[in-house]
Amino acid sequence: MDFVVEHTGGDKLPGDPLFTHCHCELFHAQWKDLLDEEFLHAYEHGVIVACGDNVKRRIFPWIFTYSADYLEKYVLVFCFYLLKKLR
């Protein structure tokens, strides 16, 4: 907030568009960290895990998105499909 006040002259507070933009940027930065190369490899090929019954199984991690209420959340549904097509 100090950065914003400093760059707006301190006489007016930012409005909703700035906070919406910051929320969107934070949201996308979190997904960028989560969807690193290691996760994408495990997502596509699975990870071999020794289960409780001493049987090794290939486990595929999935991310379940929460219900969408704005456009960025809808886009997440198609992320993995598009990533697979780009490879």
Side-chain angles (χ1 to χ4, degrees), residues 59-79:
I59 306 294
F60 291 86
W62 287 85
I63 295 179
F64 295 100
T65 58
Y66 44 97
S67 64
D69 60 354
Y70 57 88
L71 183 59
E72 289 84 6
K73 293 179 187 176
Y74 285 107
V75 172
L76 287 176
V77 173
F78 300 105
C79 264

Side-chain angles (χ1 to χ4, degrees), residues 2-71:
D2 293 335
F3 175 84
V4 173
V5 171
E6 180 182 321
H7 287 80
T8 58
D11 56 346
K12 75 176 197 178
L13 292 175
D16 286 339
L18 176 69
F19 290 115
T20 300
H21 172 73
C22 291
H23 175 77
C24 182
E25 290 296 314
L26 176 62
F27 185 79
H28 287 284
Q30 291 169 336
W31 278 104
K32 184 179 177 183
D33 283 345
L34 288 172
L35 298 177
D36 62 359
E37 289 298 319
E38 183 180 3
F39 177 82
L40 292 176
H41 185 269
Y43 178 84
E44 189 171 333
H45 303 288
V47 178
I48 297 177
V49 176
C51 296
D53 58 358
N54 291 323
V55 175
K56 291 183 181 178
R57 294 184 173 90
R58 187 173 301 268
I59 306 294
F60 291 86
W62 287 85
I63 295 179
F64 295 100
T65 58
Y66 44 97
S67 64
D69 60 354
Y70 57 88
L71 183 59

